[in-house]
Amino acid sequence: MAASSATYFFVVRVPSNSFSPSTRFSFLPLFKPSPSVSLKASPSRSRSANLFARNALETIDSKGTSVSKDRSLEAASLGSKPTILVSEKLGEAGLELLRSFGNVDCSYNLSPEELCSKISLCDALIVRSGTKVTRQVFEAAKGRLKVVGRAGVGIDNVDLQAATEFGCLVVNAPTANTVAAAEHGIALLAAMARNVAQADASIKAGKWQRNKYVGVSLVGKTLAVMGFGKVGSEVARRAKGLGMNVIAHDPYAVADRARAIGVDLVSFDEAITTADFISLHMPLTPTTTKVFNDGTFSKMKKGVRIINVARGGVIDEDALVRALDSGVVAQAALDVFIEEPPSKDSKLVQHENVTVTPHLGASTKEAQEGVAIEIAEAVVGALKGELSATAVNAPMVPPEVLSELSPYVVLAEKLGRMAVQLVSGGAGIKSAKVVYRSARDPDDLDTRLLRAMITKGIIEPISDTYVNLVNADFTAKQKGLRISEERVVVDSSPECPVDSIELRIANVQSKFASALLDDGEITVEGKVKDGTPHLTRVGSFSVDVSLERNLILCRQVDQPGMIGRVGNILGEKNVNVNFMSVCRTAARKLAIMAIGVDEEPDKETLKMIGEVSAIEEFVFLTL
Ligand SMILES: NC(=O)c1ccc[n+]([C@@H]2O[C@H](COP(=O)([O-])OP(=O)(O)OC[C@H]3O[C@@H](n4cnc5c(N)ncnc54)[C@H](O)[C@@H]3O)[C@@H](O)[C@H]2O)c1
Ligand SMILES: O=C(O)[C@H](O)COP(=O)(O)O
């Protein structure tokens, strides 16, 4: 049954007015309008959506969720625009941008229950550090939530694992508040050294305590910056300007970058044992949690002063109280706490040698406007299907790579969809192999996107799981599907990233035996021609048919009149043929006919095709 690859084939291009090839590429089609509503919104619906946006803004700062607000959210969520829930205060410029794209509901101070009850009506959620985006939130979203935007840097309040499992992209705004946070760190450093907060409180209480509030000087002192990233390096730069000797500890920082601003990178122990001031700027991760504890405080210079504008959780707060009481730590200035807000009777907050601010690091007008724009752009881009440069739980693919790979991404998904439909009982697929033929060096071809789309193509037709670049690998693992990849360097133009993609599925039965190679693997291969994905091989049969909507594959005994006979059946049933390709092993021997059709033929039409005597087997595939 398998034909040699040296086959004859010819192609009939059937002009069709009704078909318009899909030109828009979207690798992460995150927002899909509600299926219950027509995509062409009536003018009245557009008006009500705009009205909704206005109403929503009027809910700012309202505690709790009024019935009328949720009704408008429900109404808007059915429309053709995405619904974006903003759960903490966001700069106006960002809100404007969001409103120009979707329905925006600003509901602040939601309880966890209120957030969970709203979230299934929302396509995107924008938070700052005050909203905990837990697994329960993703569960309650029932698959609708596609993007979480963190208007700021730290994403420790978002359950990233759960986001990934639910295919929800998380993006942050990592740059716009850097300077604000660094300035706040310096403000706390200076205020602490000169007892500004304590002296202010004292004088307001009617006292005049000049001897009590004698401070310490900064010039000539050693500052250890723990975490030499964006904020840490800006703090270091400013501290140098104050005449401090700055050292830094960061296991991942580049020494040259530090040296360029006159900072030595040192070990953790050297940093904490030599510093007079220690300023914390690392993220909260399992490794940094409570990294400042009884053990580490005991190694510090007696009388050290600590500033924390990073995350409360990097310090064991009880241990810090002990270190302050014993005098090992002379003073601390804290903007962040394990629990926010901290309890009123927190020993740490109430300690006389502690200066506190309520997580104000990013709170300047300038930073908040910048963050709002940065996050709004990222969320809108993600909803449009673009990959954000600030994606936290998805591989970052540079825009130029993305645009180059875009037609191959479509091809990859269609090959996956095709292959799974060729398997009888598709759910039993355990492994798939993808072979990329390319003139490029394997290191010069990023296939993560292609692999994700093949996974999407294989999984989506046989399950209700939504697959995208975020959750593709996770979902494949969950379903017990192992995707292996092979790259074959071929002699073609390196201008073109991929010459062909071949997908093989082993250890399965096929409902179209001609799709099996001699080794028993279902094999389909495709290429991109003039920007359009084409099927170029099924099993060992060469074909050439553009992968557009629906495809009928027939194996037949080659004889005159076959194209006409099948074409007539389809024509009589008003099924528009847009492409046809026939490949045969030799004249009057076996042939494979691939027919692209715009409409899905009904069962009767397919039965009639099957009854054509020369047709040995056929399959209908939806792409
Ligand atoms: N208080 C605020 O309002 C405020 C504002 C902005 C940022 N932040 C927080 O400040 C921190 C830093 O922000 P950023 O924008 O500079 O982030 P960043 O990612 O640019 O820098 C973090 C640095 O920490 C380093 N790091 C990671 N693990 C470390 C470890 N174990 N020891 C030492 N260094 C380690 C990383 O290599 C990185 O260079 C984050 O926790 C962020 O959430 C707080
Ligand atoms: O990580 C951050 O960006 C800061 O902690 C700012 O948090 P905020 O947005 O809640 O002010």
Side-chain angles (χ1 to χ4, degrees), residues 128-129 150 152-156 173-175 177-182 184 225-233 249-254 257 268 280-285 287-289 291-292 308-311 314 335-336 340 357-363 368:
R128 286 177 60 185
S129 59
R150 161 60 169 114
V153 185
I155 29 89
D156 44 287
T175 59
N177 68 22
T178 300
V179 166
H184 198 62
V225 171
M226 309 300 284
F228 194 72
K230 294 182 294 294
V231 179
S233 54
H249 168 70
D250 186 325
Y252 314 105
V254 180
R257 232 188 77 229
F268 182 87
L280 312 186
H281 301 289
M282 65 259 277
L284 180 62
T285 65
T287 353
T288 61
T289 299
V291 70
F292 297 94
N308 188 6
V309 289
R311 281 294 177 268
V314 301
D335 184 46
V336 285
E340 294 187 357
T357 49
H359 202 147
L360 290 181
S363 296
Q368 281 313 306

Side-chain angles (χ1 to χ4, degrees), residues 63-366:
K63 172 87 184 144
T65 314
S66 74
V67 175
S68 59
K69 192 166 72 183
D70 263 1
R71 280 214 190 109
S72 64
L73 178 61
E74 236 163 75
S77 77
L78 288 172
S80 58
K81 284 177 160 190
T83 298
I84 303 161
L85 175 61
V86 179
S87 71
E88 289 176 73
K89 189 151 172 43
L90 196 68
E92 196 52 37
L95 286 174
E96 279 305 318
L97 211 152
L98 294 172
R99 279 188 216 120
S100 68
F101 180 72
N103 302 306
V104 181
D105 177 13
C106 293
S107 291
Y108 304 160
N109 303 315
L110 294 173
S111 67
E113 294 73 27
E114 287 165 342
L115 176 59
C116 283
S117 84
K118 268 177 176 283
I119 204 69
S120 64
L121 301 172
C122 303
D123 304 284
L125 167 66
I126 296 185
V127 301
R128 286 177 60 185
S129 59
T131 307
K132 301 254 175 295
V133 192
T134 58
R135 179 171 287 275
Q136 286 73 31
V137 174
F138 293 105
E139 280 165 359
K142 300 193 174 78
R144 175 149 177 184
L145 183 66
K146 294 290 174 270
V147 196
V148 172
R150 161 60 169 114
V153 185
I155 29 89
D156 44 287
N157 53 324
V158 180
D159 186 333
L160 284 184
Q161 178 60 30
T164 303
E165 287 176 24
F166 284 85
C168 181
L169 184 71
V170 180
V171 290
N172 71 350
T175 59
N177 68 22
T178 300
V179 166
E183 286 178 352
H184 198 62
I186 294 292
L188 286 179
L189 168 80
M192 173 177 65
R194 303 305 295 269
N195 303 302
V196 172
Q198 292 85 344
D200 175 77
S202 149
I203 201 167
K204 282 177 177 149
K207 298 176 191 161
W208 189 254
Q209 299 175 291
R210 297 184 66 214
N211 292 335
K212 183 169 181 186
Y213 294 121
V214 173
V216 290
S217 189
L218 300 178
V219 71
K221 298 285 165 49
T222 295
L223 169 71
V225 171
M226 309 300 284
F228 194 72
K230 294 182 294 294
V231 179
S233 54
E234 288 302 322
V235 164
R237 209 188 294 276
R238 283 159 178 74
K240 293 285 291 181
L242 295 171
M244 299 185 84
N245 166 40
V246 183
I247 54 175
H249 168 70
D250 186 325
Y252 314 105
V254 180
D256 286 354
R257 232 188 77 229
R259 228 172 283 124
I261 52 174
V263 173
D264 282 337
L265 282 181
V266 298
S267 68
F268 182 87
D269 275 3
E270 186 177 344
I272 64 164
T273 52
T274 52
D276 304 298
F277 292 82
I278 301 179
S279 192
L280 312 186
H281 301 289
M282 65 259 277
L284 180 62
T285 65
T287 353
T288 61
T289 299
K290 295 194 180 173
V291 70
F292 297 94
N293 50 41
D294 286 316
T296 44
F297 286 130
S298 70
K299 292 181 184 170
M300 293 176 187
K301 252 189 186 175
K302 190 164 165 57
V304 67
R305 289 175 166 79
I306 293 177
I307 305 105
N308 188 6
V309 289
R311 281 294 177 268
V314 301
I315 296 179
D316 176 341
E317 291 179 343
D318 294 337
L320 178 56
V321 172
R322 288 189 283 275
L324 283 158
D325 286 344
S326 70
V328 168
V329 174
Q331 288 182 300
L334 310 171
D335 184 46
V336 285
F337 305 88
I338 291 178
E339 205 186 299
E340 294 187 357
S343 70
K344 283 199 183 97
D345 54 1
S346 155
K347 278 192 185 156
L348 184 60
V349 172
Q350 299 302 334
H351 203 286
E352 62 167 345
N353 295 334
V354 174
T355 303
V356 286
T357 49
H359 202 147
L360 290 181
S363 296
T364 62
K365 282 183 186 158
E366 296 83 353

